[in-house]
Amino acid sequence: TVTLTEDLAELLDDEARRRRTSVSAVVRQLLTEGLVGSAERPREIPWAGIVDDPGGAPARDLDEVLAREWADDIHRDRR
């Protein structure tokens, strides 16, 4: 069960009607796209490729750099 604001519930109902599908189908698709990504728009991982940067930190310092500069992104990704 998910609780939505009235405004968001209305938007969701409108979108389901526009797509001629169920609210559940719209929610599933939006959650999948947001959490997993899609073929057209893969999920972005902000620190992907960080070790490829020739001017970046050496591998031995990577944990420290990630904790300092990417902590919010790492926390969000683990949820």
Side-chain angles (χ1 to χ4, degrees), residues 18-53:
R18 186 185 71 76
R19 295 182 187 195
R20 297 178 187 208
T21 190
S22 68
V23 167
S24 293
V26 173
V27 170
R28 276 191 299 275
Q29 181 182 1
L30 294 173
L31 284 172
T32 300
E33 288 173 2
L35 297 173
V36 179
S38 66
E40 297 81 30
R41 190 180 63 85
R43 182 170 180 233
E44 290 183 26
I45 302 173
W47 55 87
I50 193 171
V51 295
D52 296 335
D53 181 2

Side-chain angles (χ1 to χ4, degrees), residues 47 63-79:
W47 55 87
D63 285 336
E64 180 183 319
V65 170
L66 289 173
R68 183 179 64 240
E69 298 179 16
W70 296 90
D72 292 342
D73 294 298
I74 292 168
H75 176 73
R76 184 182 64 241
D77 193 53
R78 287 184 179 162
R79 289 191 268 164

